[in-house]
Amino acid sequence: MMKRGLLMMLALLPVTMLAQNIQLHYDFGRNIYSDEEAGRQKVTATLEQFKADEWGSWYYFVDFDLSSHFVEGAYTEISREFALAKQSPFAAHVEYDGGLNRFGSFQQAALAGAAYNGHNGDFSTTYSLQLLYKQFFKSYENTHSYASAQLTGVWSTTLANKKCTFAGFFDLWRGEKANGHGCLVVLSEPQLWYHLTDHFSIGTEWEISSNFIYNQDPTSTKTFFCNPTAAVKWNF
């Protein structure tokens, strides 16, 4: 499971300087794809934080994949945006993606490019579009360094008199298959939250992907997956 950028949109709100939340997701993917995703973890905890300053903003999240015995892995994305001018929707964006699991590491990547951020009149809907150069690094056996490009979109909108939030992101980038051939990787994670209090929310996330998940069934050629979760979130 990978989260990205839901709090990045708070950079557009002038009254918001710091935001942090923790999420706990129960993932149904292994129940739906018992062969293709036999090793997928069922529980993921996510720590997410955004901080704005006079130069722009910082954002990071860390996903912890949990099993009944230990933490299976930790994946993080850390990004920095530099506002190009006061009140300008354009920003420079730099980012690091990577992490560790009990078998070694995830493939590391560095990204840099431009972001365009926007909102409606009352800030109830916000969005961001990013065009990034992406450099993958050799991180473990059978990986190698290669250049890529990524298009990212992030959105957030409030519904039902601000009792619900529909938010998420999509990523498109050039990946490489095991045989070295290029492929288009698609990843989107829309989330829907119902706010029981100012701090506590219940909701769901749907990880929709193509050419992203490693298929563990050698007899299957499936590349498209849709993995829903049931989740709770605490906003600090």
Side-chain angles (χ1 to χ4, degrees):
M1 182 180 298
M2 181 190 299
K3 311 288 191 303
R4 177 195 299 275
L6 302 183
L7 285 174
M8 294 168 92
M9 307 320 300
L10 297 176
L12 304 173
L13 302 180
V15 297
T16 301
M17 296 300 293
L18 177 66
Q20 186 177 39
N21 72 70
I22 187 168
Q23 305 171 25
L24 189 66
H25 291 258
Y26 182 86
D27 192 305
F28 296 98
R30 198 164 71 179
N31 302 95
I32 300 171
Y33 309 104
S34 57
D35 294 326
E36 295 91 342
E37 297 189 295
R40 187 178 179 89
Q41 297 308 309
K42 291 188 174 183
V43 178
T44 298
T46 298
L47 176 66
E48 190 176 41
Q49 185 176 49
F50 165 88
K51 183 178 181 181
D53 54 42
E54 61 179 319
W55 300 102
S57 63
W58 283 99
Y59 169 80
Y60 78 87
F61 75 81
V62 185
D63 278 345
F64 300 96
D65 291 326
L66 309 177
S67 71
S68 58
H69 301 292
F70 40 69
V71 177
E72 295 283 341
Y75 175 85
T76 186
E77 295 187 5
I78 304 170
S79 66
R80 171 74 199 189
E81 286 203 351
F82 297 94
L84 298 184
K86 190 174 182 180
Q87 305 300 323
S88 171
F90 292 98
H93 182 103
V94 292
E95 181 178 327
Y96 163 79
D97 301 348
L100 300 172
N101 58 47
R102 67 188 181 99
F103 302 106
S105 70
F106 297 98
Q107 188 165 15
Q108 322 293 305
L111 301 90
Y116 179 88
N117 303 316
H119 58 83
N120 64 354
D122 63 359
F123 290 90
S124 60
T125 297
T126 56
Y127 57 87
S128 178
L129 190 65
Q130 302 158 16
L131 183 60
L132 307 170
Y133 170 82
K134 188 171 189 177
Q135 178 66 49
F136 286 95
F137 302 104
K138 179 176 175 59
S139 304
Y140 54 90
E141 190 176 359
N142 298 323
T143 64
H144 65 279
S145 176
Y146 68 94
S148 182
Q150 179 168 301
L151 177 67
T152 291
V154 187
W155 76 89
S156 179
T157 188
T158 57
L159 309 166
N161 198 26
K162 298 184 178 181
K163 292 297 292 182
C164 295
T165 298
F166 177 57
F169 74 89
F170 68 84
D171 286 337
L172 309 175
W173 74 88
R174 179 191 176 276
E176 288 194 359
K177 298 180 180 180
N179 60 10
H181 291 173
C183 64
L184 176 65
V185 182
V186 179
L187 175 65
S188 183
E189 291 183 3
Q191 295 184 343
L192 181 63
W193 296 100
Y194 179 76
H195 309 302
L196 295 173
T197 72
D198 289 341
H199 295 284
F200 184 67
S201 304
I202 59 174
T204 182
E205 175 184 272
W206 290 65
E207 182 191 85
I208 303 166
S209 68
S210 177
N211 291 318
F212 176 69
I213 292 173
Y214 174 70
N215 189 333
Q216 294 182 275
D217 182 0
T219 66
S220 171
T221 59
K222 185 176 180 61
T223 59
F224 177 84
F225 294 88
C226 183
N227 296 297
T229 76
V232 294
K233 177 168 69 172
W234 182 265
N235 289 298
F236 293 96

